[in-house]
């Protein structure tokens, strides 16, 4: 796996963890934590919303990104459960 892709996945998992803790801080603070630029933070949030369908938004009251519904980011392969397991 390319190092760049692996690092990006790690960033998404870190963002997810901070969002669930309601501890991302403002975009520039999150950028510092992730060691990326603020514009990269906005790009990550756009990817989370549009590609990963994460219901994420910025809350001005808590000064943190939050999920609009309870959940967790999942990046991976999930096996389909076997519906009818019959001996042939």
């Amino acid at each position: 796996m390319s190092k760049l892709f692996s690092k990006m996945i790690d960033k998404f998992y870190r963002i997810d963890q901070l969002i669930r803790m309601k501890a991302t801080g403002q975009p520039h603070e999150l950028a510092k934590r992730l060691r990326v630029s603020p514009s990269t933070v906005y790009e990550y949030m756009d990817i989370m919303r549009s590609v990963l369908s994460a219901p994420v938004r910025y809350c001005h009251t808590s000064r943190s990104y939050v999920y609009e519904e309870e959940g967790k980011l999942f990046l991976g392969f999930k096996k389909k459960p076997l519906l009818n397991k019959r001996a042939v």
Side-chain angles (χ1 to χ4, degrees):
M1 177 183 336
S2 93
K3 262 187 171 178
L4 179 63
F5 187 69
S6 179
K7 284 183 179 184
M8 189 180 219
I9 297 285
D10 290 343
K11 301 275 188 205
F12 282 118
Y13 278 128
R14 180 69 176 133
I15 292 168
D16 173 64
Q17 179 185 40
L18 291 168
I19 289 173
R20 288 183 287 112
M21 294 168 50
K22 294 183 175 83
T24 65
Q26 297 176 5
H28 70 277
E29 295 169 322
L30 180 57
K32 259 184 163 175
R33 279 193 183 115
L34 298 174
R35 296 184 177 152
V36 298
S37 69
S39 62
T40 299
V41 166
Y42 292 118
E43 188 177 335
Y44 285 167
M45 291 304 158
D46 185 50
I47 291 168
M48 288 180 73
R49 286 184 201 101
S50 62
V51 177
L52 303 173
S53 301
V56 64
R57 68 175 176 83
Y58 183 75
C59 175
H60 293 279
T61 306
S62 64
R63 294 182 178 175
S64 180
Y65 285 97
V66 296
Y67 287 133
E68 292 182 339
E69 53 189 279
E70 205 170 313
K72 184 176 181 178
L73 194 63
F74 178 78
L75 300 171
F77 181 79
K78 190 173 183 179
K79 288 184 181 182
K80 186 175 180 180
L82 297 175
L83 300 176
N84 293 323
K85 196 174 183 179
R86 291 187 231 164
V88 179

Coordinates of all heavy atoms in Angstrom, one line a residue:
M1 N 0.9 -1.2 0.0 CA 0.0 0.0 0.0 C 0.9 1.2 0.0 O 1.9 1.3 0.7 CB -0.9 0.0 1.2 CG -1.8 1.2 1.4 SD -2.8 1.4 2.8 CE -3.1 -0.2 3.4
S2 N 0.5 2.2 -0.7 CA 1.3 3.4 -0.8 C 1.3 4.1 0.6 O 0.3 4.1 1.3 CB 0.9 4.4 -1.9 OG -0.1 5.3 -1.4
K3 N 2.5 4.7 0.9 CA 2.6 5.4 2.2 C 1.6 6.6 2.3 O 1.0 6.8 3.3 CB 4.0 6.0 2.4 CG 4.9 5.1 3.2 CD 6.2 5.8 3.4 CE 7.0 5.1 4.4 NZ 8.3 5.7 4.7
L4 N 1.4 7.3 1.2 CA 0.5 8.4 1.1 C -0.9 8.0 1.5 O -1.6 8.7 2.3 CB 0.6 9.1 -0.2 CG -0.3 10.3 -0.4 CD1 0.1 11.4 0.5 CD2 -0.3 10.8 -1.8
F5 N -1.4 7.0 0.8 CA -2.7 6.5 1.1 C -2.9 6.0 2.5 O -3.9 6.3 3.2 CB -3.1 5.4 0.1 CG -4.5 4.9 0.2 CD1 -5.5 5.8 -0.2 CD2 -4.8 3.7 0.7 CE1 -6.9 5.4 -0.1 CE2 -6.2 3.3 0.8 CZ -7.2 4.1 0.4
S6 N -1.9 5.3 3.0 CA -1.9 4.8 4.4 C -2.0 6.0 5.4 O -2.7 5.9 6.4 CB -0.7 4.0 4.7 OG -0.6 3.5 6.0
K7 N -1.2 7.0 5.1 CA -1.2 8.2 6.0 C -2.6 8.9 6.0 O -3.1 9.3 7.0 CB -0.1 9.2 5.6 CG 1.3 8.8 6.0 CD 2.3 9.8 5.7 CE 3.7 9.4 6.1 NZ 4.7 10.4 5.9
M8 N -3.2 8.9 4.8 CA -4.5 9.6 4.7 C -5.6 8.8 5.4 O -6.4 9.4 6.1 CB -4.9 9.7 3.2 CG -6.1 10.5 2.9 SD -6.4 10.5 1.2 CE -7.0 12.2 1.0
I9 N -5.5 7.5 5.4 CA -6.5 6.6 6.1 C -6.3 6.9 7.6 O -7.2 7.0 8.4 CB -6.2 5.1 5.8 CG1 -6.5 4.8 4.3 CG2 -7.1 4.2 6.7 CD1 -7.9 4.8 3.9
D10 N -5.0 6.9 8.1 CA -4.7 7.2 9.5 C -5.3 8.6 9.9 O -5.9 8.7 11.0 CB -3.2 7.2 9.7 CG -2.6 5.8 9.7 OD1 -3.4 4.8 9.7 OD2 -1.4 5.7 9.5
K11 N -5.2 9.5 9.0 CA -5.8 10.9 9.3 C -7.3 10.8 9.5 O -7.9 11.4 10.4 CB -5.4 11.9 8.2 CG -4.0 12.1 8.0 CD -3.3 13.1 8.9 CE -1.9 13.3 8.4 NZ -1.0 13.8 9.4
F12 N -8.0 10.1 8.6 CA -9.4 9.9 8.7 C -9.8 9.2 10.0 O -10.8 9.7 10.7 CB -10.0 9.2 7.5 CG -10.1 10.0 6.3 CD1 -9.4 9.7 5.1 CD2 -10.9 11.2 6.3 CE1 -9.5 10.5 4.0 CE2 -11.0 12.0 5.1 CZ -10.3 11.6 4.0
Y13 N -9.1 8.2 10.4 CA -9.4 7.6 11.7 C -9.2 8.5 12.9 O -9.9 8.5 13.8 CB -8.6 6.3 11.9 CG -9.2 5.1 11.1 CD1 -8.4 4.3 10.3 CD2 -10.5 4.7 11.3 CE1 -9.0 3.2 9.6 CE2 -11.1 3.6 10.7 CZ -10.3 2.9 9.8 OH -10.9 1.8 9.2
R14 N -8.1 9.3 12.8 CA -7.8 10.3 13.9 C -8.9 11.3 13.9 O -9.4 11.7 15.0 CB -6.4 10.9 13.7 CG -6.1 11.9 14.7 CD -5.8 11.2 16.1 NE -5.4 12.2 17.0 CZ -5.9 12.4 18.2 NH1 -6.7 11.5 18.7 NH2 -5.4 13.3 19.0
I15 N -9.3 11.8 12.8 CA -10.4 12.8 12.7 C -11.7 12.2 13.3 O -12.4 12.9 14.1 CB -10.7 13.3 11.3 CG1 -9.5 14.1 10.8 CG2 -12.0 14.1 11.2 CD1 -9.5 14.4 9.3
D16 N -12.0 11.0 12.9 CA -13.2 10.3 13.4 C -13.1 10.2 15.0 O -14.1 10.5 15.6 CB -13.3 8.9 12.8 CG -14.4 8.1 13.4 OD1 -15.6 8.5 13.3 OD2 -14.1 7.1 14.1
Q17 N -12.0 9.9 15.5 CA -11.8 9.7 16.9 C -12.1 11.1 17.6 O -12.8 11.2 18.6 CB -10.4 9.2 17.3 CG -10.1 9.1 18.7 CD -8.7 8.7 19.0 OE1 -7.8 9.2 18.3 NE2 -8.5 7.8 19.9
L18 N -11.5 12.1 17.1 CA -11.7 13.5 17.6 C -13.1 14.0 17.5 O -13.6 14.6 18.4 CB -10.7 14.5 17.0 CG -9.2 14.2 17.3 CD1 -8.3 15.0 16.4 CD2 -8.9 14.5 18.8
I19 N -13.7 13.7 16.4 CA -15.1 14.1 16.2 C -16.0 13.4 17.3 O -16.8 14.1 17.9 CB -15.7 13.8 14.8 CG1 -15.0 14.7 13.8 CG2 -17.2 13.9 14.7 CD1 -15.3 14.4 12.3
R20 N -15.8 12.1 17.5 CA -16.6 11.4 18.5 C -16.4 11.9 19.9 O -17.3 11.9 20.7 CB -16.4 9.9 18.4 CG -17.1 9.3 17.1 CD -17.0 7.8 16.9 NE -15.6 7.4 16.6 CZ -14.8 6.7 17.4 NH1 -15.2 6.3 18.6 NH2 -13.6 6.4 17.1
M21 N -15.2 12.4 20.1 CA -14.9 13.0 21.4 C -15.3 14.5 21.5 O -15.2 15.1 22.6 CB -13.4 12.9 21.7 CG -12.8 11.5 21.8 SD -11.0 11.4 21.8 CE -10.5 12.6 23.0
K22 N -15.8 15.0 20.4 CA -16.1 16.4 20.3 C -14.9 17.3 20.7 O -15.0 18.2 21.4 CB -17.4 16.8 21.1 CG -18.6 16.1 20.6 CD -19.8 16.5 21.4 CE -21.1 15.9 20.8 NZ -21.4 14.6 21.2
A23 N -13.8 16.9 20.1 CA -12.5 17.5 20.5 C -11.6 17.9 19.3 O -10.4 17.9 19.4 CB -11.7 16.6 21.4
T24 N -12.2 18.2 18.1 CA -11.4 18.6 17.0 C -10.9 20.0 17.1 O -9.8 20.3 16.6 CB -12.2 18.5 15.7 OG1 -13.2 19.5 15.7 CG2 -12.8 17.2 15.4
G25 N -11.6 20.8 17.8 CA -11.3 22.3 17.9 C -11.6 22.9 16.6 O -12.3 22.3 15.7
Q26 N -11.2 24.1 16.4 CA -11.5 24.9 15.2 C -10.6 24.3 14.1 O -9.7 23.6 14.3 CB -11.3 26.3 15.4 CG -12.2 27.0 16.4 CD -11.9 28.4 16.7 OE1 -11.0 29.0 16.1 NE2 -12.6 29.0 17.7
P27 N -11.0 24.6 12.8 CA -10.3 24.0 11.7 C -8.8 24.2 11.7 O -8.0 23.3 11.5 CB -10.9 24.7 10.5 CG -12.3 24.9 10.9 CD -12.2 25.3 12.3
H28 N -8.3 25.4 12.1 CA -6.9 25.6 12.2 C -6.2 24.8 13.3 O -5.1 24.4 13.2 CB -6.6 27.1 12.3 CG -6.9 27.8 13.6 ND1 -8.2 28.2 13.9 CD2 -6.2 28.0 14.7 CE1 -8.3 28.7 15.1 NE2 -7.0 28.6 15.6
E29 N -7.0 24.6 14.4 CA -6.4 23.8 15.5 C -6.3 22.3 15.1 O -5.3 21.6 15.4 CB -7.3 23.9 16.7 CG -7.3 25.3 17.3 CD -8.4 25.5 18.4 OE1 -9.5 24.9 18.2 OE2 -8.1 26.2 19.4
L30 N -7.3 21.8 14.4 CA -7.3 20.5 13.9 C -6.2 20.3 12.9 O -5.5 19.3 12.9 CB -8.7 20.1 13.2 CG -8.8 18.7 12.6 CD1 -8.5 17.6 13.7 CD2 -10.2 18.5 12.0
A31 N -6.0 21.3 12.0 CA -4.9 21.2 11.1 C -3.5 21.1 11.8 O -2.7 20.3 11.4 CB -4.9 22.5 10.2
K32 N -3.4 21.8 12.9 CA -2.1 21.7 13.6 C -1.9 20.3 14.2 O -0.9 19.7 14.1 CB -2.1 22.7 14.8 CG -1.3 23.9 14.6 CD -1.3 24.8 15.8 CE -0.2 25.8 15.8 NZ -0.3 26.7 16.9
R33 N -3.0 19.8 14.8 CA -3.0 18.4 15.3 C -2.6 17.4 14.3 O -1.9 16.4 14.6 CB -4.3 18.0 15.9 CG -4.6 18.6 17.3 CD -5.8 17.9 17.9 NE -6.1 18.5 19.2 CZ -7.1 19.2 19.5 NH1 -8.1 19.3 18.6 NH2 -7.3 19.7 20.7
L34 N -3.2 17.5 13.1 CA -3.0 16.5 12.0 C -1.7 16.8 11.2 O -1.3 16.0 10.4 CB -4.2 16.5 11.1 CG -5.5 16.1 11.7 CD1 -6.6 16.3 10.6 CD2 -5.5 14.7 12.2
R35 N -1.1 18.0 11.5 CA 0.1 18.4 10.8 C -0.1 18.5 9.3 O 0.6 18.0 8.4 CB 1.3 17.5 11.0 CG 1.7 17.5 12.5 CD 2.9 16.6 12.7 NE 3.4 16.8 14.1 CZ 4.0 15.8 14.8 NH1 4.3 14.7 14.2 NH2 4.3 16.0 16.0
V36 N -1.3 19.2 9.0 CA -1.7 19.5 7.6 C -2.1 21.0 7.6 O -2.2 21.6 8.6 CB -2.8 18.6 7.1 CG1 -2.4 17.1 7.1 CG2 -4.1 18.8 7.9
S37 N -2.4 21.5 6.4 CA -2.8 22.9 6.3 C -4.4 22.9 6.6 O -5.1 21.9 6.4 CB -2.6 23.4 4.9 OG -3.4 22.7 3.9
P38 N -4.9 24.1 6.9 CA -6.3 24.2 7.1 C -7.1 23.9 5.8 O -8.2 23.3 5.9 CB -6.5 25.7 7.5 CG -5.2 26.1 8.2 CD -4.1 25.3 7.4
S39 N -6.5 24.2 4.7 CA -7.3 23.8 3.4 C -7.3 22.3 3.3 O -8.3 21.8 2.7 CB -6.6 24.5 2.2 OG -5.3 24.0 2.1
T40 N -6.4 21.6 3.8 CA -6.4 20.1 3.7 C -7.5 19.6 4.7 O -8.2 18.7 4.3 CB -5.0 19.5 4.1 OG1 -4.1 20.0 3.1 CG2 -5.1 18.0 4.1
V41 N -7.7 20.3 5.8 CA -8.7 19.9 6.7 C -10.1 20.0 6.0 O -10.9 19.1 6.1 CB -8.7 20.7 8.0 CG1 -10.0 20.5 8.8 CG2 -7.5 20.3 8.9
Y42 N -10.3 21.1 5.3 CA -11.6 21.3 4.6 C -11.7 20.3 3.5 O -12.9 19.8 3.3 CB -11.6 22.8 4.0 CG -11.7 23.8 5.1 CD1 -10.7 24.8 5.2 CD2 -12.8 23.9 5.9 CE1 -10.8 25.8 6.1 CE2 -12.9 24.9 6.9 CZ -11.9 25.9 7.0 OH -12.0 26.8 7.9
E43 N -10.7 19.9 2.9 CA -10.7 18.9 1.8 C -11.1 17.5 2.5 O -11.9 16.8 1.9 CB -9.4 18.8 1.1 CG -9.4 17.9 -0.1 CD -8.1 17.8 -0.8 OE1 -7.3 18.8 -0.7 OE2 -7.8 16.8 -1.5
Y44 N -10.5 17.2 3.6 CA -10.8 16.0 4.3 C -12.3 15.9 4.7 O -13.0 14.9 4.6 CB -10.0 15.8 5.6 CG -8.5 15.4 5.3 CD1 -7.6 15.4 6.3 CD2 -8.1 14.9 4.1 CE1 -6.3 15.0 6.1 CE2 -6.8 14.5 3.9 CZ -5.9 14.6 4.9 OH -4.6 14.2 4.7
M45 N -12.8 17.1 5.2 CA -14.2 17.1 5.6 C -15.1 16.9 4.4 O -16.1 16.3 4.5 CB -14.5 18.5 6.3 CG -13.8 18.6 7.7 SD -14.3 17.2 8.8 CE -12.9 17.3 9.9
D46 N -14.7 17.5 3.3 CA -15.5 17.4 2.1 C -15.5 15.9 1.6 O -16.6 15.4 1.3 CB -15.0 18.2 1.0 CG -15.8 18.2 -0.3 OD1 -17.1 18.4 -0.2 OD2 -15.3 18.0 -1.4
I47 N -14.4 15.2 1.7 CA -14.3 13.8 1.4 C -15.2 13.0 2.3 O -15.9 12.1 1.9 CB -12.8 13.3 1.4 CG1 -12.1 13.9 0.2 CG2 -12.8 11.8 1.4 CD1 -10.6 13.7 0.3
M48 N -15.1 13.3 3.6 CA -15.9 12.6 4.6 C -17.4 12.7 4.3 O -18.1 11.7 4.4 CB -15.6 13.0 6.0 CG -14.2 12.6 6.5 SD -13.9 13.1 8.2 CE -14.9 12.1 9.1
R49 N -17.8 13.9 3.9 CA -19.3 14.1 3.6 C -19.7 13.5 2.3 O -20.6 12.7 2.2 CB -19.6 15.6 3.5 CG -19.6 16.3 4.9 CD -20.0 17.8 4.7 NE -19.6 18.5 5.8 CZ -18.5 19.3 5.9 NH1 -17.8 19.5 4.8 NH2 -18.2 20.0 7.0
S50 N -18.9 13.8 1.2 CA -19.4 13.4 -0.1 C -19.0 12.0 -0.5 O -19.8 11.3 -1.1 CB -18.8 14.4 -1.1 OG -17.4 14.3 -1.1
V51 N -17.8 11.5 -0.1 CA -17.4 10.2 -0.5 C -17.8 9.1 0.5 O -18.3 8.0 0.2 CB -15.9 10.1 -0.8 CG1 -15.4 8.7 -1.2 CG2 -15.5 11.1 -1.9
L52 N -17.5 9.4 1.8 CA -17.7 8.5 2.9 C -19.1 8.6 3.5 O -19.4 7.8 4.4 CB -16.6 8.6 3.9 CG -15.2 8.5 3.4 CD1 -14.2 8.8 4.5 CD2 -15.0 7.1 2.9
S53 N -19.9 9.6 3.1 CA -21.3 9.8 3.6 C -21.4 10.0 5.1 O -22.3 9.6 5.7 CB -22.2 8.6 3.2 OG -22.2 8.5 1.8
A54 N -20.3 10.6 5.6 CA -20.3 10.9 7.1 C -21.2 12.2 7.3 O -20.9 13.2 6.7 CB -18.9 11.1 7.6
P55 N -22.1 12.1 8.3 CA -22.9 13.3 8.5 C -22.2 14.3 9.5 O -22.6 14.6 10.6 CB -24.2 12.7 9.2 CG -23.6 11.5 10.0 CD -22.5 11.0 9.1
V56 N -21.1 14.9 9.0 CA -20.3 15.7 9.8 C -20.5 17.2 9.5 O -20.8 17.6 8.3 CB -18.8 15.4 9.6 CG1 -18.3 15.6 8.2 CG2 -17.9 16.1 10.6
R57 N -20.5 18.0 10.5 CA -20.7 19.4 10.4 C -19.9 20.1 11.5 O -19.5 19.5 12.4 CB -22.2 19.8 10.5 CG -22.8 19.7 11.8 CD -24.2 20.2 11.9 NE -24.8 19.9 13.2 CZ -24.6 20.6 14.3 NH1 -23.8 21.7 14.3 NH2 -25.1 20.3 15.5
Y58 N -19.7 21.4 11.3 CA -18.9 22.2 12.3 C -20.0 22.8 13.2 O -20.9 23.4 12.8 CB -18.1 23.3 11.6 CG -17.3 24.0 12.7 CD1 -16.2 23.4 13.3 CD2 -17.7 25.3 13.1 CE1 -15.4 24.1 14.2 CE2 -16.9 26.0 14.1 CZ -15.8 25.4 14.6 OH -15.1 26.0 15.6
C59 N -19.8 22.7 14.5 CA -20.6 23.2 15.5 C -20.0 24.5 16.1 O -18.9 24.3 16.8 CB -20.9 22.2 16.6 SG -21.9 22.9 18.0
H60 N -20.5 25.6 15.9 CA -19.9 26.9 16.4 C -20.0 27.0 17.9 O -19.2 27.6 18.6 CB -20.6 28.1 15.8 CG -20.3 28.2 14.3 ND1 -19.1 28.7 13.8 CD2 -21.0 27.8 13.2 CE1 -19.1 28.6 12.5 NE2 -20.2 28.1 12.1
T61 N -21.0 26.3 18.5 CA -21.2 26.4 20.0 C -20.1 25.6 20.7 O -19.4 26.1 21.6 CB -22.5 25.8 20.4 OG1 -23.6 26.5 19.7 CG2 -22.8 25.9 21.9
S62 N -19.8 24.4 20.2 CA -18.8 23.6 20.9 C -17.4 23.8 20.2 O -16.4 23.2 20.7 CB -19.1 22.1 20.8 OG -19.2 21.7 19.5
R63 N -17.4 24.6 19.1 CA -16.1 24.8 18.4 C -15.4 23.5 18.0 O -14.2 23.4 18.3 CB -15.2 25.8 19.2 CG -15.7 27.1 19.4 CD -14.8 28.0 20.1 NE -15.4 29.4 20.2 CZ -14.8 30.3 20.9 NH1 -13.7 30.1 21.5 NH2 -15.4 31.5 20.9
S64 N -16.2 22.6 17.5 CA -15.7 21.3 17.1 C -16.5 20.8 15.9 O -17.7 21.1 15.8 CB -15.7 20.4 18.3 OG -15.2 19.1 17.9
Y65 N -15.9 19.9 15.2 CA -16.7 19.2 14.2 C -17.5 18.1 15.0 O -17.0 17.6 16.0 CB -15.8 18.5 13.1 CG -15.3 19.5 12.1 CD1 -14.0 20.0 12.3 CD2 -16.1 19.9 11.0 CE1 -13.5 21.0 11.3 CE2 -15.6 20.8 10.1 CZ -14.3 21.3 10.3 OH -13.8 22.2 9.3
V66 N -18.7 17.8 14.6 CA -19.5 16.8 15.2 C -20.3 16.0 14.2 O -20.4 16.4 13.0 CB -20.6 17.5 16.2 CG1 -19.9 18.2 17.3 CG2 -21.5 18.4 15.4
Y67 N -20.7 14.8 14.6 CA -21.6 14.0 13.7 C -23.0 14.4 14.0 O -23.3 14.6 15.2 CB -21.4 12.5 13.9 CG -20.1 12.0 13.4 CD1 -19.2 11.2 14.2 CD2 -19.6 12.3 12.1 CE1 -18.1 10.6 13.7 CE2 -18.5 11.8 11.6 CZ -17.7 11.0 12.4 OH -16.5 10.5 11.9
E68 N -23.8 14.5 13.0 CA -25.3 14.8 13.2 C -26.0 13.6 13.8 O -27.2 13.8 14.2 CB -25.9 15.4 11.9 CG -25.3 16.7 11.6 CD -25.9 17.3 10.3 OE1 -26.5 16.6 9.5 OE2 -25.8 18.5 10.2
E69 N -25.5 12.5 13.7 CA -26.1 11.3 14.3 C -25.0 10.4 14.8 O -23.8 10.5 14.4 CB -27.0 10.5 13.3 CG -26.3 10.2 12.0 CD -27.3 9.6 11.0 OE1 -27.6 8.4 11.1 OE2 -27.8 10.4 10.1
E70 N -25.3 9.6 15.8 CA -24.3 8.7 16.4 C -23.8 7.7 15.4 O -24.5 7.1 14.7 CB -24.9 8.0 17.6 CG -23.9 7.6 18.6 CD -24.5 7.2 19.9 OE1 -25.4 7.9 20.4 OE2 -24.1 6.1 20.4
G71 N -22.5 7.5 15.4 CA -21.9 6.5 14.5 C -20.4 6.6 14.6 O -19.8 7.3 15.4
K72 N -19.8 5.8 13.7 CA -18.3 5.7 13.6 C -17.9 5.5 12.2 O -18.5 4.8 11.5 CB -17.9 4.5 14.5 CG -16.4 4.4 14.6 CD -16.1 3.2 15.6 CE -14.6 3.1 15.7 NZ -14.2 2.0 16.7
L73 N -16.8 6.1 11.8 CA -16.3 6.0 10.5 C -15.7 4.6 10.3 O -15.1 4.1 11.2 CB -15.2 7.0 10.2 CG -14.7 7.2 8.8 CD1 -15.9 7.8 8.0 CD2 -13.6 8.2 8.8
F74 N -16.0 4.0 9.2 CA -15.5 2.6 8.9 C -14.9 2.6 7.5 O -15.6 2.9 6.5 CB -16.7 1.6 9.0 CG -16.2 0.2 8.7 CD1 -15.5 -0.6 9.6 CD2 -16.5 -0.4 7.5 CE1 -15.1 -1.8 9.3 CE2 -16.1 -1.7 7.2 CZ -15.4 -2.4 8.1
L75 N -13.6 2.3 7.4 CA -13.0 2.3 6.1 C -12.4 0.9 6.0 O -11.4 0.5 6.6 CB -11.8 3.3 6.0 CG -12.2 4.7 6.2 CD1 -10.9 5.6 6.3 CD2 -13.0 5.2 5.0
G76 N -13.1 0.0 5.3 CA -12.6 -1.3 5.1 C -13.6 -2.2 4.4 O -14.6 -1.7 3.9
F77 N -13.3 -3.5 4.3 CA -14.2 -4.4 3.6 C -15.0 -5.2 4.7 O -14.5 -5.6 5.7 CB -13.3 -5.4 2.9 CG -14.1 -6.5 2.1 CD1 -14.7 -6.2 0.9 CD2 -14.3 -7.7 2.6 CE1 -15.4 -7.1 0.2 CE2 -15.0 -8.7 2.0 CZ -15.6 -8.4 0.8
K78 N -16.3 -5.3 4.4 CA -17.2 -6.0 5.3 C -17.8 -7.2 4.5 O -18.4 -7.0 3.5 CB -18.2 -5.1 5.8 CG -19.1 -5.7 7.0 CD -20.0 -4.6 7.5 CE -20.7 -5.2 8.7 NZ -21.6 -4.2 9.3
K79 N -17.6 -8.4 5.1 CA -18.2 -9.5 4.4 C -19.7 -9.5 4.5 O -20.3 -9.1 5.5 CB -17.7 -10.8 5.0 CG -16.2 -11.1 4.7 CD -15.9 -12.5 5.3 CE -14.4 -12.8 5.1 NZ -14.1 -14.1 5.6
K80 N -20.3 -10.0 3.4 CA -21.8 -10.1 3.4 C -22.1 -11.4 4.1 O -21.5 -12.4 3.9 CB -22.2 -10.2 1.9 CG -23.7 -10.2 1.8 CD -24.1 -10.2 0.3 CE -25.6 -10.2 0.1 NZ -26.0 -10.2 -1.3
P81 N -23.1 -11.3 5.1 CA -23.4 -12.5 5.8 C -24.1 -13.5 4.9 O -24.8 -13.2 4.0 CB -24.4 -12.0 6.9 CG -24.9 -10.7 6.4 CD -23.9 -10.1 5.5
L82 N -23.8 -14.8 5.2 CA -24.4 -15.9 4.5 C -25.9 -16.0 4.9 O -26.2 -16.2 6.0 CB -23.7 -17.2 4.7 CG -22.2 -17.2 4.3 CD1 -21.6 -18.6 4.8 CD2 -22.1 -17.1 2.8
L83 N -26.7 -15.8 3.9 CA -28.2 -15.9 4.2 C -28.7 -17.3 4.2 O -29.4 -17.6 5.2 CB -28.9 -15.1 3.1 CG -28.5 -13.6 3.0 CD1 -29.3 -12.9 1.8 CD2 -28.8 -12.9 4.3
N84 N -28.5 -18.1 3.2 CA -28.9 -19.5 3.2 C -27.8 -20.4 3.1 O -27.2 -20.6 2.0 CB -29.9 -19.7 2.1 CG -31.2 -18.9 2.3 OD1 -31.7 -18.8 3.4 ND2 -31.8 -18.4 1.2
K85 N -27.4 -21.0 4.1 CA -26.2 -21.9 4.1 C -26.8 -23.3 4.0 O -27.2 -23.9 5.0 CB -25.4 -21.7 5.3 CG -24.0 -22.3 5.2 CD -23.2 -21.9 6.4 CE -21.8 -22.4 6.3 NZ -21.0 -22.1 7.5
R86 N -26.8 -23.8 2.8 CA -27.4 -25.2 2.6 C -26.3 -26.1 2.0 O -25.4 -25.7 1.3 CB -28.5 -25.2 1.5 CG -29.7 -24.5 2.0 CD -30.8 -24.7 0.9 NE -31.3 -23.3 0.6 CZ -32.0 -23.1 -0.5 NH1 -32.3 -24.0 -1.4 NH2 -32.5 -21.9 -0.7
A87 N -26.4 -27.3 2.5 CA -25.4 -28.3 1.9 C -25.9 -28.7 0.5 O -27.1 -29.0 0.3 CB -25.4 -29.6 2.8
V88 N -25.0 -28.8 -0.4 CA -25.4 -29.2 -1.8 C -24.9 -30.5 -2.1 O -23.9 -31.0 -1.7 CB -24.8 -28.1 -2.8 CG1 -25.2 -28.5 -4.2 CG2 -25.3 -26.7 -2.5

